[in-house]
Amino acid sequence: MKKLLYITDQQEYSEHGTIGALFHGYLKQYMQVNVVYFTKYKHSFQTKGDDFIVPEHRNGDIIDYLLKKEIDIASYDYVFVRNIAHILETVLKYRSKYGYKVGFRASFAKSSEAYERAKLEGTGWLKTLQIKYGNWRKDRFVNQVDIFMPTSTQMQRVFYPNATCKVYPLLTALNPATMSIRNARGDGVRRFIYVGSLDPLREFEVVLDAFNSIAQLGWSLSVSVYNPKTIRALLKLYPKIRERVSIHDADELAAIKAQVCASDVGLGMLPVRELYNNALSAKVVDYYACGVPALLSDNAKNRSIFDEGSEALFSPFESEAIAQRLKALIAMEETQLIEMGRKGQAKLIALERSYDVMAAKLAKELETL
């Protein structure tokens, strides 16, 4: 059986849908997979099941470190790297010696996010130049890999336009083992949820302005985010609706799933930026995994997947337009929303956006390298 070493950018104990469902799950039907996580809190190497736990300060020369820990690098047919350029550089350096194929997984355009944030914050020219250099450096390494796995074809075209290597998009997808369709509650309260990250680039105040304008209607909002301090500070500006917004720390997949499954509508509203318009957001897939329909940004990517009205609703990223869509969702029959979520979930399955299908296809693709 072929062997894959997947060096992530994730911390020990972190939970990630694609890593857990695809690499830790379905792909193991086709090959042996070991996943490397990092830790800020330990200073020794650990093996936990199929995982290798490495102190974060040792990631500078990860291959040499694993060799010293008696990990047989030569036994791997494939070594994948997730997001981090200097780790990719190290893995490429050892490729000819140990004979593995190299894959690079770009889950998010982090350097492009930094560039957008620098522009928004008015950061000086030196910071901007550093970010552009980082993009160029990553491009140079990407073109040396055997397979490049962005989150979508659009992501590659927008953020890696000079890629000349094999490009094989790994889309955010459903895990068939954890899908569900919720039952009707009939309590007359429309429950909305937002899952993910919040930072100035996402302009969540635009969404809160929309909710503030419909404070008289029957709704509640759950916000499950990685940095709750941001939303708590923002809500101080909205005293009229602050008590109707519950805040959760998005640190456990099971807890997030429970929160989503207890909701009626998921929010996938993001500003018009190339950073957000090139792939279906992971949070949206989380919603449809529970059969919860989404209110989405009105962009070409979202419309290429879902049909408006039957599977999702779309809105421009403007407070007044969002408020009108929220009103429409509040007025809908609960059974109509449940059916919309069911159809959206079925659409993703029909498009083969499920990790069991993706694992089989990825294993087949790797055999061609």
Side-chain angles (χ1 to χ4, degrees):
M1 182 178 279
K2 294 290 183 72
K3 292 181 65 177
L4 165 66
L5 180 67
Y6 188 24
I7 305 173
T8 74
D9 58 347
Q10 299 292 295
Q11 290 285 309
E12 182 188 13
Y13 303 119
S14 68
E15 296 184 284
H16 190 280
T18 301
I19 296 173
L22 181 60
F23 291 98
H24 252 314
Y26 295 104
L27 193 59
K28 289 185 178 180
Q29 298 175 25
Y30 308 97
M31 64 186 66
Q32 180 180 332
V33 180
N34 297 109
V35 178
V36 174
Y37 292 95
F38 295 98
T39 177
K40 299 176 181 178
Y41 308 107
K42 298 175 183 177
H43 299 284
S44 61
F45 176 79
Q46 290 184 323
T47 298
K48 294 175 63 176
D50 295 327
D51 298 339
F52 301 140
I53 312 301
V54 173
E56 189 171 67
H57 69 278
R58 302 306 300 266
N59 70 15
D61 195 0
I62 185 65
I63 297 297
D64 186 54
Y65 180 80
L66 292 173
L67 286 167
K68 290 177 180 177
K69 299 304 176 180
E70 300 183 349
I71 303 302
D72 184 8
I73 299 298
S75 69
Y76 289 98
D77 302 279
Y78 316 102
V79 178
F80 287 1
V81 177
R82 187 177 192 268
N83 289 332
I84 302 180
H86 74 264
I87 294 180
L88 176 60
E89 180 180 15
T90 298
V91 168
L92 287 167
K93 182 175 71 173
Y94 285 91
R95 174 173 54 184
S96 60
K97 182 174 182 178
Y98 293 104
Y100 49 71
K101 301 292 185 180
V102 177
F104 182 62
R105 166 65 167 161
S107 66
F108 192 69
K110 292 180 181 294
S111 56
S112 297
E113 181 185 37
Y115 180 65
E116 290 288 345
R117 188 180 295 116
K119 290 196 298 182
L120 182 68
E121 296 172 353
T123 305
W125 66 269
L126 181 58
K127 179 65 174 178
T128 302
L129 187 63
Q130 288 173 337
I131 294 169
K132 287 184 176 181
Y133 171 74
N135 285 341
W136 171 84
R137 184 167 174 263
K138 187 178 289 187
D139 278 346
R140 183 165 60 89
F141 293 137
V142 165
N143 279 329
Q144 298 177 46
V145 306
D146 298 286
I147 184 169
F148 171 45
M149 297 163 288
T151 55
S152 68
T153 301
Q154 291 90 334
M155 178 188 185
Q156 179 264 311
R157 290 173 180 167
V158 172
F159 296 111
Y160 298 88
N162 301 316
T164 57
C165 57
K166 176 188 281 290
V167 177
Y168 186 81
L170 279 184
L171 311 177
T172 304
L174 296 169
N175 181 355
T178 61
M179 291 191 313
S180 62
I181 299 292
R182 72 174 184 84
N183 297 318
R185 284 182 300 274
D187 59 6
V189 176
R190 186 65 68 237
R191 291 173 167 82
F192 296 90
I193 188 168
Y194 175 91
V195 174
S197 300
L198 280 184
D199 58 44
L201 286 178
R202 287 171 170 80
E203 300 178 37
F204 196 66
E205 63 273 14
V206 174
V207 177
L208 290 177
D209 285 343
F211 277 105
N212 201 55
S213 70
I214 58 167
Q216 75 281 8
L217 300 182
W219 58 265
S220 67
L221 171 62
S222 293
V223 180
S224 187
V225 291
Y226 300 108
N227 184 6
K229 289 194 300 184
T230 301
I231 182 63
R232 289 193 182 103
L234 193 55
L235 279 173
K236 291 179 180 179
L237 304 176
Y238 297 88
K240 188 164 63 172
I241 62 171
R242 184 168 52 195
E243 299 305 317
R244 299 171 69 179
V245 181
S246 59
I247 302 170
H248 309 276
D249 197 334
D251 57 355
E252 294 183 5
L253 290 180
I256 294 172
K257 178 177 173 59
Q259 293 157 16
V260 173
C261 290
S263 303
D264 300 309
V265 180
L267 300 177
M269 301 300 304
L270 292 167
V272 180
R273 300 181 189 276
E274 288 287 3
L275 190 63
Y276 304 132
N277 293 344
N278 61 83
L280 183 66
S281 173
K283 68 170 69 68
V284 176
V285 178
D286 290 338
Y287 302 149
Y288 284 96
C290 290
V292 172
L295 174 59
L296 300 174
S297 301
D298 194 350
N299 60 45
K301 183 62 182 178
N302 290 335
R303 283 188 176 272
S304 72
I305 297 172
F306 298 111
D307 292 333
E308 184 170 24
S310 64
E311 298 162 354
L313 288 184
F314 302 99
S315 174
F317 194 73
E318 302 166 357
S319 294
E320 186 174 341
I322 294 172
Q324 292 305 313
R325 285 305 199 186
L326 293 176
K327 288 180 182 178
L329 288 161
I330 292 169
M332 278 187 189
E333 294 290 336
E334 190 175 11
T335 53
Q336 185 180 352
L337 288 172
I338 293 172
E339 181 63 9
M340 187 183 294
R342 186 194 66 77
K343 287 182 177 179
Q345 185 184 96
K347 170 63 73 65
L348 292 174
I349 294 295
L351 293 173
E352 298 186 331
R353 294 189 70 144
S354 60
Y355 287 125
D356 56 341
V357 173
M358 289 171 58
K361 288 187 171 183
L362 177 59
K364 186 175 181 180
E365 186 69 24
L366 293 180
E367 289 288 348
T368 69
L369 297 182

